[in-house]
Amino acid sequence: MLSVLEAEPAGCGLRAATHAGVRTIWFDRPDQRNTMTLDMFRDYYAALLAADRDPEVGAIVVTGAGDWFCAGADPGALEALLDERHRDQLTKEFGFEPHLPITLGTPIVAAVNGGGAGLGLVHALYADVRFMATRARLATAFSRLGLIAEYGSAWLLPRLVGVGNALDLLVSGRKIDAAEALRIGLVQRVLPRDEVLAQAQAYAADLAAHCSPASMAVIRRQVFAGLECGIAEAAADASRLMTASLAGADFGEALASQVQRRTPRFAPRAGA
């Protein structure tokens, strides 16, 4: 679908391109294993927000340039955090909530083309679906740096892979391969490296072409909100939302497209 050469700069250490309703964002510091500076982190969240607000974008794919997905925070940035002034910048001047990705209405697909560790793994965790290269490796790494589980990873991992697996990965900081990541449910697809991005983009393009943007936004909210409430509350909320969706234009359009055997023409999500 797309290549790195077709992408345009999208901020510090990032490139992006849009095709068939899919905004692909590359971490683009291949010579530095796509490690992330504070400016790059901030620009990445700004790029996600811009994609979410673009009515032409129905899904987002995140991947890495070169051999790595993202090896975590830039070593220079980590060393700078030994200085209290830089720690204050990280906590007070970032400009976005750390959990921004799960607050958006647009689905996010991670194409984990290579290794991911620390902050790089966290970015993959915040995606809805993860495609992983066969020979890639993932690690939390935090405990091996004398750090704690950052940016909500201690909340996300148990919900994705269960408490035991989450504690194993977080406490040990060990590397896991694609086969183990698939077995424990950390990723949903494992493919040869040269197929990962194309397959992730094809999956995202199907979402953009055939799924209601409004429905996907509400479903994302239901899933994440449901992790914090009981079944009775979740079911009652679903009944209310179902009543609204049955009266919505997208339901009628979906039925019409099935009868007419054509691709549905859903309206952009309100607020996008």
Side-chain angles (χ1 to χ4, degrees):
M1 294 177 61
L2 297 168
S3 72
V4 176
L5 295 177
E6 294 172 313
E8 298 293 335
C12 179
L14 302 172
R15 295 178 72 79
T18 304
H19 178 72
V22 177
R23 174 77 47 82
T24 303
I25 302 171
W26 285 264
F27 301 133
D28 193 30
R29 301 180 73 212
D31 295 341
Q32 304 296 323
R33 301 185 301 169
N34 296 325
T35 53
M36 188 160 285
T37 65
L38 180 59
D39 287 341
M40 182 179 169
F41 191 178
R42 184 184 296 114
D43 285 354
Y44 170 56
Y45 271 23
L48 288 179
L49 194 58
D52 187 57
R53 291 173 173 173
D54 188 337
E56 300 301 316
V57 174
I60 300 167
V61 171
V62 180
T63 192
D67 296 333
W68 283 76
F69 178 70
C70 175
D74 179 82
L78 287 175
E79 291 177 7
L81 293 177
L82 294 172
D83 185 319
E84 184 177 356
R85 291 171 299 176
H86 292 286
R87 291 198 296 272
D88 286 343
Q89 181 187 28
L90 180 64
T91 58
K92 298 178 181 178
E93 300 177 19
F94 181 54
F96 296 102
E97 293 291 341
H99 65 293
L100 171 79
I102 68 172
T103 71
L104 305 180
T106 307
I108 302 171
V109 181
V112 184
N113 58 298
L119 182 58
L121 175 58
V122 173
H123 289 320
L125 297 181
Y126 273 122
D128 298 77
V129 180
R130 285 159 291 280
F131 288 63
M132 185 174 175
T134 307
R135 296 185 179 181
R137 300 291 184 272
L138 298 173
T140 61
F142 306 127
S143 63
R144 301 192 177 215
L145 293 170
L147 300 174
I148 56 85
E150 63 180 353
Y151 294 108
S153 54
W155 186 92
L156 281 164
L157 263 175
R159 289 161 170 78
L160 294 173
V161 302
V163 173
N165 287 324
L167 282 169
D168 172 21
L169 298 181
L170 289 167
V171 171
S172 73
R174 67 183 178 87
K175 296 178 182 178
I176 64 169
D177 61 18
E180 182 174 3
L182 182 65
R183 177 178 61 79
I184 65 176
L186 184 58
V187 301
Q188 285 65 56
R189 310 280 194 283
V190 170
L191 299 157
R193 181 183 160 196
D194 60 358
E195 297 179 19
V196 169
L197 178 57
Q199 290 294 323
Q201 289 175 323
Y203 177 91
D206 181 65
L207 299 183
H210 297 103
C211 299
S212 159
S215 292
M216 291 191 292
V218 172
I219 288 169
R220 291 189 92 234
R221 187 194 65 75
Q222 284 180 280
V223 169
F224 289 115
L227 296 175
E228 292 297 295
C229 70
I231 182 61
E233 182 182 350
D237 187 50
S239 295
R240 178 183 61 80
L241 292 169
M242 179 59 77
T243 299
S245 64
L246 289 171
D250 283 355
F251 179 56
E253 169 59 17
L255 293 181
S257 68
Q258 290 180 9
V259 171
Q260 298 168 19
R261 297 184 180 182
R262 59 171 174 79
T263 300
R265 294 187 288 267
F266 294 122
R269 175 174 49 86

